[in-house]
Short mmCIF file of all heavy atoms in Angstrom, two decimals:
data_model
loop_
_atom_site.label_atom_id
_atom_site.label_comp_id
_atom_site.label_asym_id
_atom_site.label_seq_id
_atom_site.Cartn_x
_atom_site.Cartn_y
_atom_site.Cartn_z
N MET Z 133 0.82 -1.18 -0.05
CA MET Z 133 0.04 0.01 -0.02
C MET Z 133 0.91 1.27 -0.04
O MET Z 133 2.02 1.24 0.48
CB MET Z 133 -0.92 0.01 1.23
CG MET Z 133 -1.94 -1.13 1.29
SD MET Z 133 -3.06 -1.15 -0.08
CE MET Z 133 -4.18 0.24 0.43
N THR Z 134 0.33 2.32 -0.52
CA THR Z 134 1.06 3.60 -0.59
C THR Z 134 0.79 4.37 0.73
O THR Z 134 -0.30 4.35 1.27
CB THR Z 134 0.54 4.39 -1.77
OG1 THR Z 134 0.60 3.63 -2.91
CG2 THR Z 134 1.40 5.70 -1.92
N LEU Z 135 1.89 4.98 1.17
CA LEU Z 135 1.73 5.86 2.36
C LEU Z 135 1.67 7.29 1.88
O LEU Z 135 2.24 7.66 0.89
CB LEU Z 135 2.97 5.65 3.30
CG LEU Z 135 3.09 4.24 3.92
CD1 LEU Z 135 4.45 4.20 4.68
CD2 LEU Z 135 1.95 4.00 4.83
N TYR Z 136 0.95 8.06 2.71
CA TYR Z 136 0.76 9.47 2.34
C TYR Z 136 1.05 10.38 3.47
O TYR Z 136 1.13 9.97 4.64
CB TYR Z 136 -0.78 9.72 1.90
CG TYR Z 136 -1.19 8.91 0.75
CD1 TYR Z 136 -1.93 7.76 0.88
CD2 TYR Z 136 -0.83 9.28 -0.59
CE1 TYR Z 136 -2.32 6.99 -0.18
CE2 TYR Z 136 -1.26 8.54 -1.67
CZ TYR Z 136 -1.94 7.38 -1.47
OH TYR Z 136 -2.34 6.62 -2.53
N ARG Z 137 1.33 11.62 3.16
CA ARG Z 137 1.53 12.64 4.20
C ARG Z 137 0.86 13.92 3.78
O ARG Z 137 0.98 14.30 2.59
CB ARG Z 137 3.02 12.88 4.43
CG ARG Z 137 3.35 13.77 5.66
CD ARG Z 137 4.81 14.03 5.76
NE ARG Z 137 5.27 15.00 4.85
CZ ARG Z 137 6.41 14.91 4.11
NH1 ARG Z 137 7.17 13.86 4.26
NH2 ARG Z 137 6.72 15.82 3.31
N CYS Z 138 0.20 14.62 4.70
CA CYS Z 138 -0.37 15.97 4.37
C CYS Z 138 0.62 17.03 4.77
O CYS Z 138 0.95 17.15 5.94
CB CYS Z 138 -1.70 16.08 5.07
SG CYS Z 138 -2.39 17.72 4.79
N ASP Z 139 1.08 17.80 3.81
CA ASP Z 139 2.05 18.82 4.11
C ASP Z 139 1.38 20.06 4.84
O ASP Z 139 2.08 20.85 5.40
CB ASP Z 139 2.66 19.32 2.79
CG ASP Z 139 4.01 18.63 2.60
OD1 ASP Z 139 4.52 17.92 3.49
OD2 ASP Z 139 4.63 18.85 1.48
N GLN Z 140 0.08 20.09 4.78
CA GLN Z 140 -0.58 21.24 5.38
C GLN Z 140 -0.75 21.09 6.88
O GLN Z 140 -0.53 22.02 7.61
CB GLN Z 140 -1.96 21.44 4.74
CG GLN Z 140 -2.73 22.68 5.17
CD GLN Z 140 -3.80 23.04 4.15
OE1 GLN Z 140 -3.47 23.56 3.07
NE2 GLN Z 140 -5.05 22.86 4.54
N CYS Z 141 -1.11 19.87 7.36
CA CYS Z 141 -1.38 19.69 8.77
C CYS Z 141 -0.49 18.64 9.42
O CYS Z 141 -0.56 18.45 10.62
CB CYS Z 141 -2.87 19.43 9.05
SG CYS Z 141 -3.33 17.75 8.52
N GLY Z 142 0.29 17.88 8.62
CA GLY Z 142 1.17 16.92 9.21
C GLY Z 142 0.56 15.52 9.38
O GLY Z 142 1.25 14.63 9.87
N ASN Z 143 -0.68 15.36 9.01
CA ASN Z 143 -1.33 14.05 9.09
C ASN Z 143 -0.57 13.05 8.23
O ASN Z 143 -0.25 13.27 7.10
CB ASN Z 143 -2.80 14.20 8.62
CG ASN Z 143 -3.48 12.84 8.43
OD1 ASN Z 143 -3.16 11.88 9.14
ND2 ASN Z 143 -4.45 12.85 7.53
N LYS Z 144 -0.35 11.81 8.87
CA LYS Z 144 0.35 10.77 8.15
C LYS Z 144 -0.51 9.51 8.04
O LYS Z 144 -0.05 8.52 7.52
CB LYS Z 144 1.69 10.43 8.80
CG LYS Z 144 2.74 11.45 8.69
CD LYS Z 144 3.98 10.93 9.36
CE LYS Z 144 5.12 12.01 9.48
NZ LYS Z 144 6.21 11.52 10.28
N THR Z 145 -1.66 9.50 8.72
CA THR Z 145 -2.32 8.20 8.91
C THR Z 145 -3.75 8.14 8.44
O THR Z 145 -4.27 7.04 8.28
CB THR Z 145 -2.31 7.87 10.44
OG1 THR Z 145 -2.84 8.96 11.15
CG2 THR Z 145 -0.92 7.61 10.92
N ARG Z 146 -4.43 9.23 8.19
CA ARG Z 146 -5.87 9.11 7.90
C ARG Z 146 -6.14 9.92 6.61
O ARG Z 146 -6.08 11.14 6.60
CB ARG Z 146 -6.69 9.69 9.09
CG ARG Z 146 -6.67 8.78 10.28
CD ARG Z 146 -7.33 9.42 11.49
NE ARG Z 146 -7.50 8.50 12.59
CZ ARG Z 146 -6.62 8.03 13.34
NH1 ARG Z 146 -5.36 8.44 13.24
NH2 ARG Z 146 -6.85 7.16 14.29
N PHE Z 147 -6.57 9.12 5.59
CA PHE Z 147 -6.88 9.73 4.28
C PHE Z 147 -8.05 9.02 3.65
O PHE Z 147 -8.27 7.85 3.88
CB PHE Z 147 -5.64 9.58 3.35
CG PHE Z 147 -4.43 10.30 3.89
CD1 PHE Z 147 -3.48 9.62 4.61
CD2 PHE Z 147 -4.20 11.65 3.62
CE1 PHE Z 147 -2.32 10.22 5.13
CE2 PHE Z 147 -3.12 12.29 4.14
CZ PHE Z 147 -2.14 11.59 4.89
N ASP Z 148 -8.81 9.79 2.86
CA ASP Z 148 -9.78 9.17 1.97
C ASP Z 148 -9.07 9.01 0.60
O ASP Z 148 -8.64 9.98 0.03
CB ASP Z 148 -11.01 10.11 1.84
CG ASP Z 148 -11.98 9.97 2.95
OD1 ASP Z 148 -12.13 8.88 3.52
OD2 ASP Z 148 -12.52 11.00 3.39
N VAL Z 149 -9.06 7.78 0.13
CA VAL Z 149 -8.43 7.52 -1.16
C VAL Z 149 -9.51 7.19 -2.18
O VAL Z 149 -10.27 6.27 -1.99
CB VAL Z 149 -7.45 6.34 -1.05
CG1 VAL Z 149 -6.84 6.05 -2.41
CG2 VAL Z 149 -6.31 6.65 -0.03
N PHE Z 150 -9.62 8.00 -3.20
CA PHE Z 150 -10.57 7.78 -4.29
C PHE Z 150 -9.81 7.11 -5.45
O PHE Z 150 -8.84 7.67 -5.98
CB PHE Z 150 -11.18 9.09 -4.78
CG PHE Z 150 -11.95 9.81 -3.77
CD1 PHE Z 150 -11.30 10.54 -2.74
CD2 PHE Z 150 -13.33 9.78 -3.77
CE1 PHE Z 150 -12.07 11.21 -1.72
CE2 PHE Z 150 -14.08 10.47 -2.80
CZ PHE Z 150 -13.44 11.17 -1.79
N ASP Z 151 -10.24 5.88 -5.80
CA ASP Z 151 -9.51 5.23 -6.87
C ASP Z 151 -10.49 4.59 -7.90
O ASP Z 151 -11.70 4.49 -7.63
CB ASP Z 151 -8.58 4.15 -6.36
CG ASP Z 151 -9.27 3.01 -5.62
OD1 ASP Z 151 -10.50 3.02 -5.55
OD2 ASP Z 151 -8.55 2.15 -5.13
N THR Z 152 -9.92 4.23 -9.05
CA THR Z 152 -10.69 3.59 -10.08
C THR Z 152 -9.94 2.28 -10.40
O THR Z 152 -8.75 2.27 -10.63
CB THR Z 152 -10.71 4.42 -11.39
OG1 THR Z 152 -11.37 5.67 -11.06
CG2 THR Z 152 -11.59 3.67 -12.44
N VAL Z 153 -10.67 1.16 -10.35
CA VAL Z 153 -10.04 -0.15 -10.48
C VAL Z 153 -10.67 -0.94 -11.60
O VAL Z 153 -11.89 -0.96 -11.78
CB VAL Z 153 -10.19 -0.92 -9.15
CG1 VAL Z 153 -9.74 -2.40 -9.33
CG2 VAL Z 153 -9.41 -0.27 -8.02
N ARG Z 154 -9.82 -1.57 -12.47
CA ARG Z 154 -10.25 -2.60 -13.39
C ARG Z 154 -9.79 -3.91 -12.83
O ARG Z 154 -8.68 -4.13 -12.45
CB ARG Z 154 -9.66 -2.34 -14.76
CG ARG Z 154 -10.26 -1.17 -15.49
CD ARG Z 154 -10.04 -1.30 -17.05
NE ARG Z 154 -8.68 -1.66 -17.35
CZ ARG Z 154 -8.38 -2.82 -17.99
NH1 ARG Z 154 -9.26 -3.61 -18.41
NH2 ARG Z 154 -7.11 -3.09 -18.21
N ARG Z 155 -10.72 -4.88 -12.76
CA ARG Z 155 -10.36 -6.15 -12.16
C ARG Z 155 -10.98 -7.31 -12.92
O ARG Z 155 -11.95 -7.14 -13.62
CB ARG Z 155 -10.77 -6.18 -10.68
CG ARG Z 155 -12.26 -6.39 -10.50
CD ARG Z 155 -12.63 -6.23 -9.04
NE ARG Z 155 -12.61 -4.85 -8.60
CZ ARG Z 155 -12.45 -4.42 -7.34
NH1 ARG Z 155 -12.30 -5.33 -6.39
NH2 ARG Z 155 -12.55 -3.17 -7.05
N ARG Z 156 -10.32 -8.43 -12.77
CA ARG Z 156 -10.89 -9.74 -13.25
C ARG Z 156 -11.37 -10.53 -12.07
O ARG Z 156 -10.60 -10.68 -11.08
CB ARG Z 156 -9.83 -10.53 -14.03
CG ARG Z 156 -10.30 -11.92 -14.47
CD ARG Z 156 -9.18 -12.70 -15.03
NE ARG Z 156 -8.11 -12.99 -14.05
CZ ARG Z 156 -8.18 -13.97 -13.14
NH1 ARG Z 156 -9.23 -14.71 -13.02
NH2 ARG Z 156 -7.21 -14.14 -12.27
N ARG Z 157 -12.59 -11.06 -12.13
CA ARG Z 157 -13.08 -11.86 -11.00
C ARG Z 157 -13.59 -13.23 -11.56
O ARG Z 157 -14.26 -13.23 -12.60
CB ARG Z 157 -14.26 -11.16 -10.28
CG ARG Z 157 -13.95 -9.85 -9.74
CD ARG Z 157 -14.81 -9.48 -8.59
NE ARG Z 157 -16.21 -9.74 -8.71
CZ ARG Z 157 -17.08 -9.42 -7.77
NH1 ARG Z 157 -16.69 -8.84 -6.63
NH2 ARG Z 157 -18.34 -9.68 -7.93
N PHE Z 158 -13.22 -14.25 -10.86
CA PHE Z 158 -13.74 -15.54 -11.18
C PHE Z 158 -14.98 -15.75 -10.29
O PHE Z 158 -14.87 -15.96 -9.10
CB PHE Z 158 -12.68 -16.63 -10.94
CG PHE Z 158 -13.24 -18.05 -11.10
CD1 PHE Z 158 -14.31 -18.35 -11.91
CD2 PHE Z 158 -12.61 -19.10 -10.37
CE1 PHE Z 158 -14.78 -19.69 -12.05
CE2 PHE Z 158 -13.07 -20.37 -10.51
CZ PHE Z 158 -14.17 -20.67 -11.34
N GLU Z 159 -16.16 -15.62 -10.90
CA GLU Z 159 -17.38 -15.78 -10.21
C GLU Z 159 -17.94 -17.22 -10.41
O GLU Z 159 -18.17 -17.64 -11.55
CB GLU Z 159 -18.44 -14.76 -10.61
CG GLU Z 159 -17.94 -13.36 -10.33
CD GLU Z 159 -19.00 -12.33 -10.67
OE1 GLU Z 159 -20.09 -12.73 -11.10
OE2 GLU Z 159 -18.77 -11.11 -10.43
N HIS Z 160 -18.16 -17.92 -9.34
CA HIS Z 160 -18.59 -19.29 -9.43
C HIS Z 160 -19.97 -19.39 -8.87
O HIS Z 160 -20.19 -19.25 -7.62
CB HIS Z 160 -17.57 -20.16 -8.62
CG HIS Z 160 -17.90 -21.66 -8.66
ND1 HIS Z 160 -17.14 -22.59 -8.01
CD2 HIS Z 160 -18.88 -22.33 -9.28
CE1 HIS Z 160 -17.66 -23.78 -8.20
NE2 HIS Z 160 -18.72 -23.67 -8.91
N ALA Z 161 -20.96 -19.66 -9.73
CA ALA Z 161 -22.36 -19.78 -9.27
C ALA Z 161 -22.66 -21.28 -9.02
O ALA Z 161 -22.26 -22.17 -9.79
CB ALA Z 161 -23.29 -19.21 -10.33
N ASP Z 162 -23.45 -21.54 -7.96
CA ASP Z 162 -23.91 -22.90 -7.80
C ASP Z 162 -25.30 -23.01 -8.42
O ASP Z 162 -25.92 -21.97 -8.84
CB ASP Z 162 -23.89 -23.33 -6.31
CG ASP Z 162 -24.82 -22.54 -5.46
OD1 ASP Z 162 -25.77 -21.90 -5.99
OD2 ASP Z 162 -24.56 -22.51 -4.23
N LEU Z 163 -25.88 -24.18 -8.44
CA LEU Z 163 -27.15 -24.39 -9.12
C LEU Z 163 -28.29 -23.73 -8.43
O LEU Z 163 -29.36 -23.46 -9.00
CB LEU Z 163 -27.42 -25.89 -9.33
CG LEU Z 163 -26.40 -26.59 -10.23
CD1 LEU Z 163 -26.72 -28.07 -10.36
CD2 LEU Z 163 -26.38 -25.92 -11.65
N GLY Z 164 -28.08 -23.36 -7.16
CA GLY Z 164 -29.09 -22.60 -6.43
C GLY Z 164 -29.10 -21.11 -6.69
O GLY Z 164 -29.93 -20.37 -6.23
N GLY Z 165 -28.12 -20.66 -7.50
CA GLY Z 165 -28.08 -19.28 -7.90
C GLY Z 165 -27.19 -18.40 -6.97
O GLY Z 165 -27.14 -17.21 -7.18
N ASP Z 166 -26.58 -19.00 -5.99
CA ASP Z 166 -25.62 -18.19 -5.19
C ASP Z 166 -24.27 -18.08 -5.93
O ASP Z 166 -23.76 -19.07 -6.45
CB ASP Z 166 -25.37 -18.93 -3.83
CG ASP Z 166 -26.61 -18.86 -2.96
OD1 ASP Z 166 -27.35 -17.80 -3.05
OD2 ASP Z 166 -26.90 -19.87 -2.22
N VAL Z 167 -23.77 -16.88 -5.92
CA VAL Z 167 -22.49 -16.66 -6.59
C VAL Z 167 -21.41 -16.38 -5.58
O VAL Z 167 -21.56 -15.58 -4.62
CB VAL Z 167 -22.60 -15.40 -7.52
CG1 VAL Z 167 -21.28 -15.09 -8.20
CG2 VAL Z 167 -23.67 -15.64 -8.60
N GLU Z 168 -20.28 -16.98 -5.81
CA GLU Z 168 -19.14 -16.84 -4.91
C GLU Z 168 -17.95 -16.32 -5.75
O GLU Z 168 -17.69 -16.86 -6.80
CB GLU Z 168 -18.79 -18.14 -4.20
CG GLU Z 168 -18.04 -17.95 -2.91
CD GLU Z 168 -17.93 -19.28 -2.15
OE1 GLU Z 168 -19.01 -19.94 -2.03
OE2 GLU Z 168 -16.87 -19.63 -1.70
N VAL Z 169 -17.23 -15.36 -5.26
CA VAL Z 169 -16.01 -14.94 -5.92
C VAL Z 169 -14.86 -15.75 -5.42
O VAL Z 169 -14.53 -15.74 -4.30
CB VAL Z 169 -15.74 -13.45 -5.68
CG1 VAL Z 169 -14.46 -13.01 -6.37
CG2 VAL Z 169 -16.96 -12.55 -6.17
N GLU Z 170 -14.27 -16.50 -6.33
CA GLU Z 170 -13.24 -17.43 -5.93
C GLU Z 170 -11.81 -16.90 -6.15
O GLU Z 170 -10.85 -17.35 -5.59
CB GLU Z 170 -13.35 -18.78 -6.69
CG GLU Z 170 -14.63 -19.51 -6.36
CD GLU Z 170 -14.58 -20.95 -6.66
OE1 GLU Z 170 -13.54 -21.43 -7.24
OE2 GLU Z 170 -15.55 -21.69 -6.31
N ASP Z 171 -11.70 -15.95 -7.07
CA ASP Z 171 -10.43 -15.40 -7.36
C ASP Z 171 -10.59 -13.96 -7.91
O ASP Z 171 -11.59 -13.71 -8.58
CB ASP Z 171 -9.68 -16.24 -8.40
CG ASP Z 171 -8.24 -15.77 -8.62
OD1 ASP Z 171 -7.66 -15.27 -7.67
OD2 ASP Z 171 -7.75 -15.92 -9.73
N GLU Z 172 -9.66 -13.11 -7.59
CA GLU Z 172 -9.78 -11.68 -8.03
C GLU Z 172 -8.42 -11.20 -8.34
O GLU Z 172 -7.46 -11.38 -7.52
CB GLU Z 172 -10.49 -10.90 -6.96
CG GLU Z 172 -10.72 -9.45 -7.37
CD GLU Z 172 -11.58 -8.70 -6.37
OE1 GLU Z 172 -12.77 -8.99 -6.26
OE2 GLU Z 172 -11.07 -7.81 -5.69
N GLU Z 173 -8.27 -10.53 -9.48
CA GLU Z 173 -6.99 -9.92 -9.85
C GLU Z 173 -7.16 -8.51 -10.21
O GLU Z 173 -8.04 -8.14 -11.04
CB GLU Z 173 -6.45 -10.74 -11.02
CG GLU Z 173 -5.14 -10.24 -11.58
CD GLU Z 173 -4.74 -10.93 -12.88
OE1 GLU Z 173 -5.51 -11.76 -13.36
OE2 GLU Z 173 -3.60 -10.62 -13.38
N ILE Z 174 -6.38 -7.62 -9.62
CA ILE Z 174 -6.43 -6.19 -9.98
C ILE Z 174 -5.61 -5.99 -11.26
O ILE Z 174 -4.41 -6.25 -11.29
CB ILE Z 174 -5.87 -5.31 -8.86
CG1 ILE Z 174 -6.64 -5.56 -7.55
CG2 ILE Z 174 -5.93 -3.85 -9.26
CD1 ILE Z 174 -8.05 -5.17 -7.54
N LEU Z 175 -6.29 -5.57 -12.33
CA LEU Z 175 -5.62 -5.40 -13.59
C LEU Z 175 -4.98 -3.98 -13.70
O LEU Z 175 -3.95 -3.80 -14.28
CB LEU Z 175 -6.58 -5.57 -14.75
CG LEU Z 175 -7.20 -6.94 -14.82
CD1 LEU Z 175 -8.27 -7.00 -15.88
CD2 LEU Z 175 -6.22 -8.03 -15.02
N GLU Z 176 -5.72 -3.04 -13.16
CA GLU Z 176 -5.28 -1.63 -13.30
C GLU Z 176 -5.87 -0.85 -12.16
O GLU Z 176 -7.13 -0.99 -11.88
CB GLU Z 176 -5.72 -1.09 -14.63
CG GLU Z 176 -5.13 0.29 -14.95
CD GLU Z 176 -5.61 0.73 -16.33
OE1 GLU Z 176 -5.66 -0.16 -17.24
OE2 GLU Z 176 -6.02 1.89 -16.49
N ARG Z 177 -5.13 -0.01 -11.47
CA ARG Z 177 -5.64 0.82 -10.37
C ARG Z 177 -5.12 2.23 -10.56
O ARG Z 177 -3.97 2.47 -10.62
CB ARG Z 177 -5.30 0.24 -9.06
CG ARG Z 177 -5.80 1.08 -7.90
CD ARG Z 177 -5.56 0.35 -6.56
NE ARG Z 177 -6.21 1.11 -5.46
CZ ARG Z 177 -5.56 1.58 -4.41
NH1 ARG Z 177 -4.24 1.49 -4.28
NH2 ARG Z 177 -6.21 2.24 -3.49
N THR Z 178 -6.01 3.16 -10.66
CA THR Z 178 -5.69 4.57 -10.78
C THR Z 178 -6.16 5.33 -9.54
O THR Z 178 -7.35 5.25 -9.18
CB THR Z 178 -6.35 5.20 -12.01
OG1 THR Z 178 -6.03 4.41 -13.16
CG2 THR Z 178 -5.92 6.64 -12.26
N ILE Z 179 -5.22 6.04 -8.92
CA ILE Z 179 -5.56 6.90 -7.76
C ILE Z 179 -6.12 8.22 -8.35
O ILE Z 179 -5.40 8.96 -8.97
CB ILE Z 179 -4.35 7.12 -6.86
CG1 ILE Z 179 -3.76 5.81 -6.43
CG2 ILE Z 179 -4.79 7.98 -5.67
CD1 ILE Z 179 -4.59 4.97 -5.58
N ASP Z 180 -7.38 8.47 -8.10
CA ASP Z 180 -7.97 9.72 -8.60
C ASP Z 180 -7.66 10.93 -7.68
O ASP Z 180 -7.33 11.99 -8.19
CB ASP Z 180 -9.44 9.57 -8.73
CG ASP Z 180 -9.82 8.42 -9.68
OD1 ASP Z 180 -9.21 8.29 -10.74
OD2 ASP Z 180 -10.73 7.63 -9.30
N ARG Z 181 -7.74 10.69 -6.40
CA ARG Z 181 -7.62 11.77 -5.44
C ARG Z 181 -7.38 11.24 -4.06
O ARG Z 181 -7.91 10.20 -3.71
CB ARG Z 181 -8.94 12.59 -5.45
CG ARG Z 181 -8.85 14.00 -4.94
CD ARG Z 181 -10.00 14.83 -5.54
NE ARG Z 181 -11.30 14.30 -5.14
CZ ARG Z 181 -12.02 14.77 -4.13
NH1 ARG Z 181 -11.55 15.82 -3.40
NH2 ARG Z 181 -13.16 14.27 -3.80
N VAL Z 182 -6.52 11.85 -3.25
CA VAL Z 182 -6.35 11.50 -1.89
C VAL Z 182 -6.63 12.71 -1.05
O VAL Z 182 -6.04 13.80 -1.25
CB VAL Z 182 -4.93 11.04 -1.61
CG1 VAL Z 182 -4.72 10.57 -0.18
CG2 VAL Z 182 -4.57 9.85 -2.55
N VAL Z 183 -7.55 12.59 -0.12
CA VAL Z 183 -7.99 13.75 0.71
C VAL Z 183 -7.66 13.52 2.18
O VAL Z 183 -7.95 12.42 2.72
CB VAL Z 183 -9.52 13.98 0.54
CG1 VAL Z 183 -9.98 15.15 1.42
CG2 VAL Z 183 -9.90 14.18 -0.95
N CYS Z 184 -7.02 14.49 2.78
CA CYS Z 184 -6.66 14.42 4.20
C CYS Z 184 -7.98 14.46 5.08
O CYS Z 184 -8.82 15.28 4.86
CB CYS Z 184 -5.78 15.63 4.54
SG CYS Z 184 -5.40 15.74 6.30
N ARG Z 185 -8.04 13.55 6.00
CA ARG Z 185 -9.25 13.48 6.88
C ARG Z 185 -9.22 14.58 7.89
O ARG Z 185 -10.24 14.89 8.56
CB ARG Z 185 -9.30 12.12 7.59
CG ARG Z 185 -9.61 10.95 6.68
CD ARG Z 185 -11.04 10.95 6.19
NE ARG Z 185 -11.96 10.86 7.28
CZ ARG Z 185 -13.04 9.99 7.32
NH1 ARG Z 185 -13.25 9.23 6.35
NH2 ARG Z 185 -13.83 10.07 8.37
N TRP Z 186 -8.07 15.16 8.22
CA TRP Z 186 -7.96 16.17 9.27
C TRP Z 186 -8.30 17.56 8.70
O TRP Z 186 -9.13 18.25 9.29
CB TRP Z 186 -6.56 16.19 9.83
CG TRP Z 186 -6.23 14.99 10.68
CD1 TRP Z 186 -7.06 13.93 10.95
CD2 TRP Z 186 -5.02 14.76 11.42
NE1 TRP Z 186 -6.42 13.04 11.75
CE2 TRP Z 186 -5.15 13.49 12.05
CE3 TRP Z 186 -3.81 15.45 11.53
CZ2 TRP Z 186 -4.18 12.94 12.84
CZ3 TRP Z 186 -2.81 14.88 12.32
CH2 TRP Z 186 -2.99 13.66 12.96
N CYS Z 187 -7.66 18.01 7.59
CA CYS Z 187 -7.87 19.34 7.16
C CYS Z 187 -8.64 19.40 5.80
O CYS Z 187 -8.84 20.43 5.23
CB CYS Z 187 -6.55 20.08 7.04
SG CYS Z 187 -5.50 19.49 5.70
N GLU Z 188 -8.96 18.23 5.26
CA GLU Z 188 -9.76 18.08 4.03
C GLU Z 188 -9.03 18.62 2.81
O GLU Z 188 -9.67 18.93 1.79
CB GLU Z 188 -11.12 18.69 4.21
CG GLU Z 188 -11.95 17.96 5.27
CD GLU Z 188 -13.33 18.53 5.46
OE1 GLU Z 188 -13.61 19.65 4.82
OE2 GLU Z 188 -14.16 17.97 6.12
N SER Z 189 -7.72 18.83 2.87
CA SER Z 189 -6.94 19.26 1.73
C SER Z 189 -6.63 17.99 0.87
O SER Z 189 -6.41 16.91 1.31
CB SER Z 189 -5.64 19.88 2.15
OG SER Z 189 -4.76 20.05 1.06
N SER Z 190 -6.62 18.26 -0.47
CA SER Z 190 -6.16 17.23 -1.37
C SER Z 190 -4.86 17.71 -2.05
O SER Z 190 -4.05 16.89 -2.45
CB SER Z 190 -7.21 16.79 -2.38
OG SER Z 190 -7.60 17.91 -3.14
N ASP Z 191 -4.74 18.97 -2.19
CA ASP Z 191 -3.55 19.55 -2.87
C ASP Z 191 -2.28 19.31 -2.12
O ASP Z 191 -1.18 19.12 -2.67
CB ASP Z 191 -3.72 21.02 -3.09
CG ASP Z 191 -4.88 21.35 -4.06
OD1 ASP Z 191 -5.21 20.45 -4.86
OD2 ASP Z 191 -5.45 22.42 -3.99
N ALA Z 192 -2.35 19.28 -0.75
CA ALA Z 192 -1.18 19.24 0.07
C ALA Z 192 -0.73 17.79 0.41
O ALA Z 192 0.21 17.56 1.02
CB ALA Z 192 -1.43 19.97 1.40
N VAL Z 193 -1.54 16.81 -0.10
CA VAL Z 193 -1.22 15.40 0.23
C VAL Z 193 -0.19 14.93 -0.75
O VAL Z 193 -0.42 14.97 -1.97
CB VAL Z 193 -2.50 14.56 0.23
CG1 VAL Z 193 -2.12 13.08 0.42
CG2 VAL Z 193 -3.44 14.98 1.27
N ILE Z 194 0.89 14.33 -0.24
CA ILE Z 194 1.91 13.77 -1.12
C ILE Z 194 2.18 12.28 -0.78
O ILE Z 194 1.90 11.87 0.36
CB ILE Z 194 3.28 14.55 -1.00
CG1 ILE Z 194 3.72 14.47 0.45
CG2 ILE Z 194 3.07 15.95 -1.48
CD1 ILE Z 194 5.20 14.96 0.61
N GLU Z 195 2.69 11.57 -1.74
CA GLU Z 195 3.04 10.18 -1.52
C GLU Z 195 4.34 10.10 -0.78
O GLU Z 195 5.30 10.85 -1.07
CB GLU Z 195 3.18 9.43 -2.85
CG GLU Z 195 1.87 8.96 -3.43
CD GLU Z 195 2.07 8.11 -4.64
OE1 GLU Z 195 3.12 7.35 -4.67
OE2 GLU Z 195 1.24 8.13 -5.56
N VAL Z 196 4.46 9.16 0.16
CA VAL Z 196 5.69 8.94 0.95
C VAL Z 196 6.27 7.67 0.45
O VAL Z 196 5.59 6.62 0.40
CB VAL Z 196 5.40 8.96 2.44
CG1 VAL Z 196 6.70 8.68 3.19
CG2 VAL Z 196 4.75 10.21 2.89
N HIS Z 197 7.55 7.67 0.11
CA HIS Z 197 8.21 6.48 -0.26
C HIS Z 197 9.29 6.16 0.77
O HIS Z 197 10.39 6.77 0.79
CB HIS Z 197 8.89 6.61 -1.66
CG HIS Z 197 7.87 6.92 -2.71
ND1 HIS Z 197 7.06 6.00 -3.25
CD2 HIS Z 197 7.54 8.12 -3.29
CE1 HIS Z 197 6.23 6.49 -4.17
NE2 HIS Z 197 6.51 7.81 -4.23
N PRO Z 198 9.02 5.22 1.69
CA PRO Z 198 9.97 4.93 2.78
C PRO Z 198 11.27 4.34 2.17
O PRO Z 198 11.22 3.56 1.21
CB PRO Z 198 9.25 3.84 3.59
CG PRO Z 198 7.83 3.87 3.15
CD PRO Z 198 7.84 4.39 1.81
N GLU Z 199 12.38 4.74 2.68
CA GLU Z 199 13.68 4.20 2.22
C GLU Z 199 13.78 2.73 2.59
O GLU Z 199 13.42 2.31 3.66
CB GLU Z 199 14.82 4.98 2.85
CG GLU Z 199 14.84 6.45 2.48
CD GLU Z 199 15.01 6.67 0.96
OE1 GLU Z 199 15.83 5.94 0.38
OE2 GLU Z 199 14.39 7.56 0.42
N GLY Z 200 14.32 1.96 1.65
CA GLY Z 200 14.50 0.53 1.90
C GLY Z 200 13.18 -0.13 1.91
O GLY Z 200 12.98 -1.16 2.49
ZN1 LIG W 1603 -4.13 17.70 6.31
#
């Protein structure tokens, strides 16, 4: 998972992440009509917006890449 930091208020832990996902799912239906997802693969994920839960800024939120 990606870590974020808000440069405006210093928040490092609480964000709303808005994303768009394309995925493949193996849906297995039984004869009674119940469907179970047996496998799921994320094909593509785009982060649309990350909003700080403390100050509600999205412009000041940056991705953090921990060393190592
Ligand atoms: Zn903030």
